[in-house]
Amino acid sequence: MYRYFCLFLLLSHVLPAQSLTELQQKALHQYMEVANRSAEEVTSIGKSMQSIYADVNLYKKDKHRRMRFYTCPSEFIESIYQLAIKEGASLGASNSGGLNATAKSVNDSWKQLDEKCKALEIYFRLEDYQKDDFKGFDVLVTEILNLIQEYRTAKDRLAGQVEKTFYKLQPHNASNANHVAAKLMLEQIKREKAIIDLWTCNLEEGTHTGWPVEKIQQHVLENDKQIGKLKSSKPTLKYPTSTMYPNFIEGLESLQQTKRNGIDEYTYDKRSSDKHSNDVYFSLIN
């Protein structure tokens, strides 16, 4: 749900083609696929860092424990990016140039993350931690975390480029109910992304650093009002948009409940570590 591009997967249905051709829609979808698929893989890598880091800390405290082998969950598929470059030609050089550059940055970051992730898997399979007391582990984890930040920046730039290109080719029409619905959903996606961007995952989760719980509480209250506006707008939409719009609202309400649960379950005993905030974070971005 928190994939920034998820809304654009609906746009070709929400916005009836006016100046956007079928080939151009297909091309934009493929750029979105670069972001969507890579985001799934990068998220899985990030979550695996949380798990293996906790295992390593437990092992350091008790060397009689058996160190679990790490398995990289990532699968790098460069053909997704290559297809985007190929189909992007239908958008014209003035549009595809910026998209190709930002998509390449996303693809390159994804590839580097995949390589480091697999290097970490080999590190554990060879049991190199017994030779260097986890120094190699610390280096690889630091590199992976830095690459995740670079990836997020690249994905945000691609998001902006896709949005800019889409509305350049398909200008917003305030008198069109479908266009209005799409704009409302896009604005909501940006609000959701803004709250997630306040979050960080603390691998040293045994140390409590806190999380933006007050801002999230305020966000939940404000979001209830925004969801109410989405419901009350009741745009007259044709199928399949007529089913997509309420499904979008239903997804938002599900996320609202996840946030509420995270706040309500943030009890005194869970304030001694960051495990709870880490768990809530990953439950939201999955």
Side-chain angles (χ1 to χ4, degrees), residues 41-54 57 70 109-110 112-118 120 136-154 199-205 278 281-282 285:
E41 301 300 324
V42 171
T43 297
S44 70
I45 292 174
K47 194 168 185 178
S48 73
M49 291 299 101
Q50 178 193 21
S51 177
I52 191 61
Y53 206 90
N57 281 339
Y70 172 77
S109 294
W110 180 16
Q112 291 174 45
L113 275 164
D114 182 78
E115 291 171 349
K116 293 297 181 181
C117 181
K118 287 179 170 57
L120 187 60
F137 168 77
D138 290 336
V139 169
L140 283 169
V141 169
T142 298
E143 290 176 340
I144 287 171
L145 294 180
N146 288 337
L147 283 169
I148 287 176
Q149 290 303 315
E150 291 178 15
Y151 166 81
R152 290 180 64 180
T153 299
W199 231 301
T200 57
C201 176
N202 178 22
L203 292 184
E204 290 283 359
E205 60 182 24
N278 284 348
Y281 173 75
F282 282 112
I285 66 174

Side-chain angles (χ1 to χ4, degrees), residues 204-224:
E204 290 283 359
E205 60 182 24
T207 301
H208 183 241
T209 61
W211 55 306
V213 62
E214 293 84 7
K215 291 183 179 180
I216 294 168
Q217 287 173 323
Q218 184 63 33
H219 164 83
V220 168
L221 293 174
E222 293 174 354
N223 228 22
D224 283 338

Side-chain angles (χ1 to χ4, degrees), residues 43-219:
T43 297
S44 70
I45 292 174
K47 194 168 185 178
S48 73
M49 291 299 101
Q50 178 193 21
S51 177
I52 191 61
Y53 206 90
D55 285 348
V56 167
N57 281 339
L58 288 173
Y59 179 82
K60 286 180 177 180
K61 294 175 182 177
D62 181 5
K63 294 296 181 66
H64 296 293
R65 293 176 58 92
R66 184 177 182 277
M67 186 65 234
R68 174 178 67 87
F69 283 153
Y70 172 77
T71 301
C72 176
S74 172
E75 179 185 8
F76 174 67
I77 309 173
E78 190 161 26
S79 60
I80 298 173
Y81 161 72
Q82 293 171 339
L83 185 57
I85 298 300
K86 179 181 178 181
E87 295 186 347
S90 67
L91 299 169
S94 62
N95 295 314
S96 63
L99 286 166
N100 289 344
T102 49
K104 184 178 186 302
S105 295
V106 171
N107 187 71
D108 289 349
S109 294
W110 180 16
K111 183 178 181 179
Q112 291 174 45
L113 275 164
D114 182 78
E115 291 171 349
K116 293 297 181 181
C117 181
K118 287 179 170 57
L120 187 60
E121 177 176 330
I122 293 172
Y123 175 87
F124 277 97
R125 291 196 179 280
L126 296 178
E127 299 185 347
D128 285 345
Y129 55 88
Q130 294 185 350
K131 305 172 188 175
D132 66 2
D133 194 27
F134 291 99
K135 289 184 175 63
F137 168 77
D138 290 336
V139 169
L140 283 169
V141 169
T142 298
E143 290 176 340
I144 287 171
L145 294 180
N146 288 337
L147 283 169
I148 287 176
Q149 290 303 315
E150 291 178 15
Y151 166 81
R152 290 180 64 180
T153 299
K155 185 168 69 71
D156 286 349
R157 287 174 180 165
L158 180 56
Q161 195 67 38
V162 170
E163 181 183 351
K164 178 182 176 181
T165 304
F166 186 92
Y167 282 111
K168 177 182 177 182
L169 297 172
Q170 184 79 79
H172 176 71
N173 182 354
S175 64
N176 185 302
N178 288 6
H179 284 225
V180 173
K183 185 178 181 180
L184 287 172
M185 289 191 286
L186 179 56
E187 290 173 348
Q188 185 60 39
I189 286 288
K190 291 182 178 180
R191 278 190 286 269
E192 299 291 351
K193 182 181 180 299
I195 197 68
I196 279 295
D197 285 347
L198 295 175
W199 231 301
T200 57
C201 176
N202 178 22
L203 292 184
E204 290 283 359
E205 60 182 24
T207 301
H208 183 241
T209 61
W211 55 306
V213 62
E214 293 84 7
K215 291 183 179 180
I216 294 168
Q217 287 173 323
Q218 184 63 33
H219 164 83

